[in-house]
Amino acid sequence: LRKISLGDYITTGEDLVSLQSLDPIRVDFSVPQRYLNDIKVKDQVTIYSQAIPKPCSGTIYAFDSIIDQNTRMINMRATIPNPDHILLPGTFVEVKLLIKHSKPVVLIPQTAVVYHEGSNYIFLMKDNKAVKTNITLGPITKDKQIIVEKGVKPGDEVIVGGQMKLFDGFPVITQSNYQQMEASKEQQAGNNK
């Protein structure tokens, strides 16, 4: 689209049209500083958008030289091949970047966490009792799961509901045990008739 009409007077430096490079196209995004050591130039990225019919892949080619002091994020730029010109500059995209973790992570539902000033905790179930356990939280995943960095290990039973009524040492019955107890009561009531 031109920014002037036929017969207009123009001056030096006036914009006539907007020119953009469409292939390849650059994508700017930010990641938390904690992942800085896990990401390198030439790492693969995949971008998604409602404006494009399928995901597009590309590679990181530059990092900013400073971490933003307000957000603690570092800006990065990736280049994406765009031979069909399906991506246009200014399009909002979601960037997926696979980070190679050297260790497995523990995921818990976000609903299991009790957020408290100064520390966060969850309740684990041990010997049919609630055990208050302080945890160190990592990032939240797309499906509302939280990576727990410290405080929970694989195989721990995490209580995911009713935390506000619990306290340390409170007796706990699992939903499956409760259903078995109710079925047993119904069976006994049927036998007493």
Side-chain angles (χ1 to χ4, degrees):
L1 299 175
R2 64 182 185 221
K3 297 187 176 185
I4 58 164
S5 297
L6 190 61
D8 284 350
Y9 286 101
I10 57 171
T11 59
T12 305
E14 187 174 348
D15 290 343
L16 304 179
V17 293
S18 177
L19 297 176
Q20 307 292 332
S21 172
L22 295 177
D23 185 28
I25 197 162
R26 286 178 263 165
V27 175
D28 293 332
F29 62 100
S30 303
V31 297
Q33 70 178 4
R34 76 173 77 188
Y35 298 117
L36 187 55
N37 292 329
D38 298 323
I39 302 171
K40 297 173 184 60
V41 170
K42 296 189 180 175
D43 277 357
Q44 286 286 125
V45 296
T46 305
I47 62 166
Y48 303 85
S49 175
Q50 292 177 345
I52 57 177
K54 62 181 181 180
C56 297
S57 296
T59 55
I60 295 174
Y61 80 89
F63 287 55
D64 204 344
S65 60
I66 189 168
I67 293 173
D68 186 304
Q69 291 183 345
N70 297 321
T71 62
R72 296 292 171 209
M73 305 277 272
I74 185 161
N75 295 323
M76 299 185 177
R77 183 170 287 164
T79 181
I80 311 290
N82 191 28
D84 299 330
H85 299 172
I86 59 171
L87 280 170
L88 293 176
T91 303
F92 180 79
V93 296
E94 183 178 323
V95 177
K96 183 177 183 181
L97 173 63
L98 293 178
I99 297 175
K100 297 161 186 76
H101 283 285
S102 59
K103 60 179 183 170
V105 295
V106 175
L107 289 173
I108 62 171
Q110 189 175 4
T111 57
V113 179
V114 178
Y115 298 95
H116 193 265
E117 191 175 324
S119 67
N120 302 310
Y121 61 91
I122 60 169
F123 285 98
L124 296 178
M125 189 172 97
K126 293 183 180 175
D127 299 324
N128 292 328
K129 291 191 174 154
V131 177
K132 183 179 174 182
T133 307
N134 289 325
I135 57 172
T136 303
L137 298 177
I140 299 173
T141 65
K142 194 174 185 177
D143 58 346
K144 302 290 185 210
Q145 300 273 331
I146 298 181
I147 295 174
V148 179
E149 295 178 348
K150 194 190 289 184
V152 180
K153 57 185 183 298
D156 283 347
E157 290 185 81
V158 178
I159 298 172
V160 296
Q163 293 88 334
M164 301 316 272
K165 297 177 184 177
L166 291 178
F167 55 86
D168 205 23
F170 193 82
V172 177
I173 298 173
T174 64
Q175 188 172 7
S176 61
N177 286 348
Y178 179 77
Q179 289 171 346
Q180 288 174 355
M181 288 171 37
E182 290 298 311
S184 177
K185 285 181 188 176
E186 287 178 15
Q187 187 177 23
Q188 284 180 351
N191 290 342
N192 291 338
K193 289 184 179 180

